[in-house]
Amino acid sequence: MGGAVSAGEDNDELIDNLKEAQYIRSELVEQAFRAIDRADYYLEEFKDNAYKDLAWKHGNIHLSAPCIYSEVMEALDLQPGLSFLNLGSGTGYLSSMVGLILGPFGVNHGVELHSDVIEYAKQKLDFFIKTSDSFDKFEFCEPSFVTGNCLEISPDCTQYDRVYCGAGVQKEHEDYMKNLLKVGGILVMPLEEKLTKITRTGPSAWETKKILAVSFAPLILPNHADSGKSRLVHLPPVAVRSLQDLARIAIRGTIKKIIHQEAMSKNGNGLKNPPRFKRRRVRRRRMETIVFLDKEVFASRISNPSDDNNNSEDPEDERQEEEETKPSELKPDPPVNFLREKVLSLPLPDPLKYYLLYYREK
């Protein structure tokens, strides 16, 4: 069992490794990955494996390898305000990262076959909203999950700007998946052993790009043995936000602008990121086959020849770099939730403050 990138000690180091290996290539995707700790979506007894570039499965709960999610996020070309449908939404980890990019005026829906996994996803979503300081750095498009087989979506459902399927799709279901897309939309799915990006360029026109070789467990076909009837999946309605909710979004956005302006006037270059750990650079070569887990096998791209020429590093340079990294220099300052501090300092009634903070615990 192997991974495309080295294991990290924490979520930030995992993202550093994914960036170095060119799986994460855009700033929006990087911000979303850093904002949500992958370990939060693991059961407690399995968290030691959270920062390895490996898939994880326990019963019906499943997470794909981080490098796969990275490729999916990059291929979806997400932008604020788009609509997203996640087929096989699982733990909600991917849907939550997508929601950070879609923003408050996007649409974020998921379909999951197993009701116990839906409950697990809702618990993890609630935990993120109530406890994560990252939540206040974004305006979030909260995902909504429904139980059902994604091959039985009601034909009168709305079409989406972006669609991802997290299970292997056979050729006979390709057109079904395509029809879930709006014109101009992007569909990413494992199709015939390849992670595939399909762009709908017209009512009957498509562009297809193979991203990398993968092997996912196949879609589970509907079972009508009991009733003999199809159980149509009705997706959540596209709801219009209430005036009260729009006011909260606007107020939070204004406060964030004030915080940014205050920081600009104070130090001239805006809010600075907290100091990062300085880590020893590890040269590694990508492998063609990277993950084996039950029926899932993931394959990465082959490294360029120029990468291979740099695989060795002078031991003396390594020792010098380690000596330069002093423990006293490694510890970053605790992160500050500037939005929360500003809201709590406002001359407002406490119930309104708590409403602006989404009644969050931290």
Side-chain angles (χ1 to χ4, degrees), residues 62-131:
H62 174 257
L63 282 167
S64 292
C67 67
I68 299 298
Y69 283 138
S70 305
E71 289 287 5
V72 169
M73 291 278 286
E74 293 287 357
L76 285 170
D77 189 21
L78 298 161
Q79 303 295 330
L82 297 180
S83 57
F84 172 67
L85 176 62
N86 188 354
L87 304 175
S89 52
T91 66
Y93 173 63
L94 178 66
S95 292
S96 292
M97 288 195 292
V98 169
L100 296 175
I101 298 177
L102 297 183
F105 305 112
V107 175
N108 193 355
H109 294 164
V111 179
E112 169 57 43
L113 183 62
H114 303 288
S115 58
D116 60 324
V117 180
I118 290 277
E119 289 305 311
Y120 186 85
K122 289 179 178 179
Q123 292 171 14
K124 296 302 179 184
L125 175 63
D126 188 59
F127 178 82
F128 170 69
I129 291 174
K130 289 185 175 180
T131 67

Side-chain angles (χ1 to χ4, degrees), residues 110-223:
V111 179
E112 169 57 43
L113 183 62
H114 303 288
S115 58
D116 60 324
V117 180
I118 290 277
E119 289 305 311
Y120 186 85
K122 289 179 178 179
Q123 292 171 14
K124 296 302 179 184
L125 175 63
D126 188 59
F127 178 82
F128 170 69
I129 291 174
K130 289 185 175 180
T131 67
S132 174
D133 279 326
S134 294
F135 180 81
D136 283 330
K137 298 177 182 177
F138 299 83
E139 290 302 334
F140 187 46
C141 182
E142 185 174 335
S144 298
F145 306 112
V146 295
T147 306
N149 190 303
C150 67
L151 292 175
E152 295 184 300
I153 292 175
S154 175
D156 61 356
C157 79
T158 184
Q159 293 178 313
Y160 291 79
D161 296 302
R162 301 291 186 267
V163 177
Y164 171 64
C165 181
V169 178
Q170 300 304 312
K171 194 68 177 177
E172 59 264 30
H173 296 127
E174 180 179 356
D175 288 343
Y176 171 90
M177 296 294 178
K178 287 179 176 179
N179 287 329
L180 296 171
L181 275 185
K182 295 179 181 178
V183 173
I186 295 173
L187 164 66
V188 178
M189 62 181 176
L191 179 65
E192 295 187 317
E193 307 290 314
K194 297 287 192 302
L195 188 64
T196 304
K197 175 180 178 179
I198 299 175
T199 304
R200 187 169 195 171
T201 58
S204 302
W206 315 85
E207 289 182 359
T208 301
K209 178 183 177 182
K210 305 294 185 182
I211 301 173
L212 71 159
V214 295
S215 180
F216 277 47
L219 284 170
I220 297 176
L221 299 179
N223 183 2

Side-chain angles (χ1 to χ4, degrees), residues 323-338:
E323 291 172 0
E324 291 174 354
T325 308
K326 304 296 183 183
S328 61
E329 299 171 354
L330 289 179
K331 189 174 182 180
D333 295 331
V336 178
N337 189 328
F338 294 100

Side-chain angles (χ1 to χ4, degrees), residues 6 9 13 17 20 277-284 313-315 317-323 325 330:
S6 296
E9 295 181 1
E13 188 168 345
N17 293 339
E20 183 178 348
F277 285 90
K278 182 176 180 182
R279 301 184 179 94
R280 171 181 168 185
R281 175 182 287 182
V282 178
R283 297 287 184 182
R284 47 192 159 271
E313 202 169 80
D314 190 341
D317 292 340
E318 293 182 359
R319 284 194 296 273
Q320 183 177 355
E321 186 173 359
E322 288 176 336
E323 291 172 0
T325 308
L330 289 179

